[in-house]
Amino acid sequence: MARNLTKSNAHFRRALKRLPLGVASNFRYWGDARTIYVKHGRGARLTDLDDNVYVDYRMGYGPGILGYADPRVDEAARAGMEIGGVFALSTERELAVAERIAKMVPAAELVRYSNSGTEAVMAGLRLARAFTGRDDYVILEGGYHGLFDAAMWFTPMDKWSQVGDPEVRPYSEGVPLSTRGFAHFVQANDANQLEDVFKRYADRIACLLIEPIMGNCLGIAAEPGYLRAARALCDRYGVVLLIDEVKTGFRVARGGVQELYGVHADLCTFAKAMGNGYPISVLAGREKIMRKLGHGVAHGGTYTAHSVSLAAAERTLQILDETDALETIADYGTKLRAGMSEILGARGIAHSFVGHPSMSGLYFAQDPPRNYRDWKGSDYSFYDAMAKVLHDEGVLCEPDSREPWFVCASHDAACLADTLRGFETAVDATLAATDAARKVRA
Ligand SMILES: Cc1ncc(COP(=O)(O)O)c(C=O)c1O
């Protein structure tokens, strides 16, 4: 390995004694020898315990929209600290932030806060169920909506034989099998299939839970016609359209995917980018549905609307709304795609990009995927091998090819140059390793 990870490796061995897998989240364990620990993050770069510096394209899975330790947001957060934390009472700023969100996202007529994306989506599903009096929901193959039982049914496509439908399995042990029957899976971009499911289970489906640019599945994007059709079908069958914007919100446009596609949700969820890393999330939506909160539907939480997170969100949203930060991000993402494309194209490697320039999926096949099943037909093992070399070269992407590359407003020309240099090295090293492996097999 080209990197020195002596300190991270030693810390991992110590941490393992007290922390499962040596980390605070399963996704942060990258193997005994490759799990790294962060010393600090500034802008678009991270420094690990061994002082390796990386240009980061994970950005905490999306929250870092302006960059780590943004001084404007941190100053606001410190002022928020002066308010005093949480009181089991409300503060004035809750309204100010809700007004900003409503301005940016027209469907957000009313707003409720939580701390994480999981909490917001969980509350949204409960509210949709209460509003419709139905229990089932429809989700897309490849969709991820958090770590609560109802969202933890998935189609493990890596195990799919490419014949028939993929199996539906729980994402974890401990998910009650009795919850399986509520979830109905459809493929992205197939409105006929969606209508068939709506028709067949007409009196059972409460909501369509959809992330139109799939932030955990390459950034596979709904075709505009599909999302419009989904909206119309929800109206026809009395199904709540719950658009999960935990990753896309305040990132792909000021008004999220809803602005990008011109489609309005009945309910929508936000988190990640809205606080530039401070823990806060939102469930928002149409007044007639949201007014059920407190009138039959329970919602709350001790740490909800913490004064630090709320102040950070107020400042972050103001910056995203009133400056050209999102244009800067999209411009960088477009340049990043072009630079990678030039390197891959010069070597005759089939590839395409999916999603939005601010959260790009790099896909190893000529045509971008329309749904999760297409991923199976791509050369994702090339990505998996290349990602390890990228880390050694100081470019931090997710080791799993399905996670898009996240761009923040602090990615600059120096980041781009460092990234493309590392990318070229990683592509060549991966090609050489693949060639060598082929020769050994022959
Ligand atoms: C679309 C989507 N919904 C929900 C979640 C869950 O958010 P959290 O990890 O904050 O609980 C995620 C997390 O990545 C997500 O991408």
Side-chain angles (χ1 to χ4, degrees), residues 61 116-119 121 144-146 211 216 244 246-247 271-272:
Y61 289 144
S116 67
T118 295
E119 274 183 276
V121 181
Y144 176 78
H145 301 284
E211 190 193 15
N216 300 274
D244 183 355
V246 162
K247 273 190 170 164
K272 314 251 181 191

Side-chain angles (χ1 to χ4, degrees), residues 135-150:
D135 287 341
D136 292 10
Y137 51 96
V138 178
I139 35 180
L140 266 54
E141 290 177 3
Y144 176 78
H145 301 284
L147 290 175
F148 63 105
D149 287 349

Side-chain angles (χ1 to χ4, degrees), residues 42-46 54-57 59 66-68 408 410-412 415:
R42 294 284 180 278
R45 297 191 194 248
L46 277 187
Y54 307 87
V55 182
D56 191 11
Y57 290 100
M59 297 312 298
L66 299 171
Y68 296 117
C408 75
S410 299
H411 280 105
D412 58 11
C415 292

